[in-house]
Amino acid sequence: MPGFELFGDKERTHVQEVLDSGVLMRYGFDGMRNGKWKAVSLENALAERMQVKYAQVVSSGTAALTVALASAGIGAGDEVIMPTFTFVASFESILAIGAIPILVNVDDTLTLDPESVEQAITPRTKVVMPVHMCGSMADLGALKQICEKHGLLLLEDACQAIGGTYEGRPLGSIGDLGCFSFDYVKTITCGEGGAIITNNENYHKNADHYSDHGHDHVGKDRGAEKHPYLGYNFRISELNAAVGLAQISRLDDFLYLQKKHYTILRKALELLPGIIFRRVPLGGVESYAFLSFFLPDENSARSAHSALARNGVDGCFYWYDNNWHYYRKWEHLLQQKTLGKLPEEVVRQLPDYQEDSFSMSDHWVGRNISCLIKLGWSEEEVKNRASKMVEALRPLLNNQ
Ligand SMILES: *Cc1c(COP(=O)(O)O)cnc(C)c1O
C-alpha cells in the first residue's frame, strides 16, 4: 500500500517547483507563484480520476471526515452510524463536531453489516459512514437503499481503498460525500493530507470555506474576504500537495502492482483448505491494498498470526487485538476519557455498549488476518513470501 515506497523524480520535481517559488501556502500570493497551484491541481486531478464534480484537499484524512460532516450541516446531537472495525479517526471526526458516534457490527465483508445499520437508526440518525477497510468496500447498494428510505446521508470513508470500484464507479464517488487520506502509509501519500469528493455544489462550497476559517474566497485580497459562517483551519500546504500531485498521477501504476502482488499471494493461499477470503460485495472490485482471510476460529487465527511472524512474513495484522482499529481497545471512547468536558449531547446519547452487542463483529474480526500488500516487492520476493505463508499456515489447518 504505501506510496512512499516508490518516491522518485516526479515527487522531487513538484516539490522543487514549490521551493523555487517560495509559496508554501495554497491560497493567495498569485504574483510570486509562477503559475504553480499544487493543491488546486491536485483537486482537479482527483475530481477527474474519481469521476466527480468537486474535490477539496485538506490537511489529513481525519480533517476530511470532519470537514465532510460539517459541510453537510451535521452538528451537536446528530447520530452518525459507523463500524466497530475502522481507524479511530471515524469517531474522532464525529466527536469533533459534537455529533454522536453509533457503533454498528461488521460482517464477512469486514465493513458495515446493512441489517445492523437499519436496526441502529433512530429519529436522530443523520449519516451512515461505511469505512472501506483494507482495500475492499461495504455493500454500497444495500446501504444506499437504506439511506434513501430513511433520508440519511451516505458518507464513504475510502481512506484505505483508493482506486477500488463499485459497479464500475470509484469508491468515494458513490455516496453523497467521500473521503480519502494521504497520510504517510496510504496508497498515495502527501506526507500528511486528505480529500473530500462530492457532486454536491453546496457541500463543496461549504468544505472550501469551512476548511479555511470560513473564508469565502471571493476576490484576490484575503484580508477583504467575507466569512459567511464559522470555520476552522484544515488547510494543506503546497509542499504536501506537491507530493500528492505526483502520486495521484501514479495511482494506476500502484494499483497494477497491488493487484499483481495480491494475486500471487491469494492463488497460493487458495490451495489451503480451511482458509476463507473476505467477501467482496457483488459489483465490487478491490484496490488490493491488503489480502484478508478468515481462519476457522479465534484460536487458529491467533496461532496463524504468530506463525506468520515466526516465518518472517511481516505486515500481517490480527486486528481483533489491535489498539487502534477495533472497538474492544477503544476504552478512551467507551469510557469517555477526555481532557475537557464532552458536549452534553454526547454524554447523554453515547450508548452504553454491552459485552455481547458486537458478537457478529467479534465472530468475523476474531478470525481475520489481513496482510499488507507492498508496492516495492520484486516478483521473486512475492513468490517467496507466498511459500512462507503456506508453510506457516498449513500445519494449523491440518490440526483442525
Ligand atoms: C488513515 C485513515 C484515516 C485518517 O487519515 P489521517 O490522514 O491519518 O488522519 C481515516 N480512516 C481510515 C479508515 C484510515 O485508514
Side-chain angles (χ1 to χ4, degrees):
M1 179 157 89
F4 72 74
E5 292 180 79
L6 301 180
F7 278 156
D9 287 341
K10 271 196 180 164
E11 286 77 2
R12 253 188 296 282
T13 306
H14 282 293
V15 171
Q16 193 60 51
E17 283 176 3
V18 174
L19 291 174
D20 289 345
S21 75
V23 181
L24 308 190
M25 186 171 178
R26 67 159 298 175
Y27 296 112
F29 302 94
D30 299 22
M32 283 169 64
R33 57 171 71 238
N34 308 325
K36 304 286 191 244
W37 299 84
K38 298 302 180 188
V40 174
S41 306
L42 176 53
E43 285 166 354
N44 292 338
L46 254 178
E48 189 184 337
R49 176 61 181 73
M50 298 305 159
Q51 302 168 33
V52 290
K53 288 191 192 148
Y54 309 104
Q56 179 72 34
V57 171
V58 291
S59 52
S60 72
T62 312
L65 292 166
T66 309
V67 172
L69 290 167
S71 76
I74 306 305
D78 293 336
E79 293 181 358
V80 180
I81 288 174
M82 57 164 276
T84 50
F85 175 47
T86 176
F87 182 51
V88 290
S90 304
F91 61 75
E92 288 170 351
S93 62
I94 297 166
L95 290 171
I97 55 160
I100 323 293
I102 302 294
L103 269 51
V104 161
N105 269 319
V106 297
D107 58 21
D108 57 343
T109 64
L110 295 177
T111 65
L112 278 181
D113 168 51
E115 212 166 291
S116 306
V117 167
E118 197 148 26
Q119 282 163 11
I121 293 171
T122 75
R124 290 185 294 266
T125 308
K126 292 285 166 60
V127 184
V128 176
M129 187 199 278
V131 182
H132 306 316
M133 284 301 276
C134 303
S136 182
M137 76 291 319
D139 186 342
L140 288 166
L143 293 178
K144 214 174 163 120
Q145 249 180 13
I146 291 169
C147 287
E148 277 163 14
K149 181 170 153 200
H150 296 272
L152 308 175
L153 279 178
L154 184 60
L155 165 53
E156 289 176 75
D157 178 340
C159 293
Q160 291 196 10
I162 191 167
T165 61
Y166 180 78
E167 293 183 345
R169 290 156 63 200
L171 296 181
S173 74
I174 292 139
D176 299 282
L177 291 143
C179 291
F180 298 111
S181 162
F182 307 132
D183 79 20
Y184 187 55
V185 293
K186 295 304 201 286
T187 301
I188 61 174
T189 180
C190 290
E192 300 285 358
I196 300 120
I197 60 172
T198 184
N199 285 306
N200 184 305
E201 186 180 1
N202 199 35
Y203 296 163
H204 172 249
K205 187 195 71 181
N206 291 345
D208 168 273
H209 296 9
Y210 185 78
S211 59
D212 183 25
H213 302 293
H215 272 269
D216 68 4
H217 300 139
V218 174
K220 294 208 178 292
D221 176 359
R222 270 182 73 75
E225 287 176 11
K226 298 270 179 25
H227 33 66
Y229 36 76
L230 291 171
Y232 219 87
N233 180 1
F234 292 113
R235 291 189 308 252
I236 193 168
S237 85
E238 284 288 270
L239 278 173
N240 293 93
V243 179
L245 188 55
Q247 292 255 302
I248 185 87
S249 74
R250 307 176 65 194
L251 174 61
D252 290 307
D253 295 340
F254 292 174
L255 293 172
Y256 168 83
L257 290 172
Q258 280 184 177
K259 183 176 181 181
K260 182 174 154 192
H261 298 164
Y262 170 109
T263 306
I264 293 171
L265 298 179
R266 176 157 177 153
K267 286 219 163 109
L269 297 199
E270 271 171 359
L271 301 173
L272 293 173
I275 297 278
I276 309 172
F277 295 89
R278 70 109 52 96
R279 180 166 63 86
V280 178
L282 202 67
V285 177
E286 298 178 68
S287 78
Y288 305 104
F290 286 82
L291 177 62
S292 301
F293 51 91
F294 301 109
L295 278 293
D297 53 38
E298 193 182 312
N299 278 340
S300 49
R302 275 216 172 81
S303 310
H305 186 234
S306 339
L308 286 165
R310 256 198 329 272
N311 261 33
V313 182
D314 59 348
C316 290
F317 299 91
Y318 183 56
W319 299 120
Y320 193 64
D321 288 342
N322 187 281
N323 280 344
W324 297 94
H325 291 82
Y326 197 51
Y327 81 95
R328 295 201 315 148
K329 298 286 179 74
W330 295 341
E331 83 283 348
H332 56 335
L333 170 70
L334 302 176
Q335 296 165 24
Q336 304 183 16
K337 291 186 185 172
T338 52
L339 290 174
K341 271 197 205 164
L342 282 167
E344 289 286 335
E345 288 89 347
V346 175
V347 174
R348 232 181 10 247
Q349 285 171 240
L350 199 66
D352 184 13
Y353 295 108
Q354 303 301 314
E355 277 203 353
D356 61 355
S357 304
F358 302 120
S359 53
M360 182 198 275
S361 306
D362 290 345
H363 174 82
W364 291 111
V365 178
R367 298 163 62 189
N368 171 252
I369 301 283
S370 285
C371 296
L372 181 68
I373 304 293
K374 288 198 179 167
L375 301 171
W377 290 330
S378 68
E379 199 167 316
E380 186 71 28
E381 281 172 312
V382 188
K383 287 184 175 155
N384 229 323
R385 194 178 176 81
S387 343
K388 281 192 196 160
M389 287 176 85
V390 170
E391 246 169 66
L393 297 175
R394 197 192 297 278
L396 300 168
L397 298 161
N398 287 344
N399 289 342
Q400 277 306 303

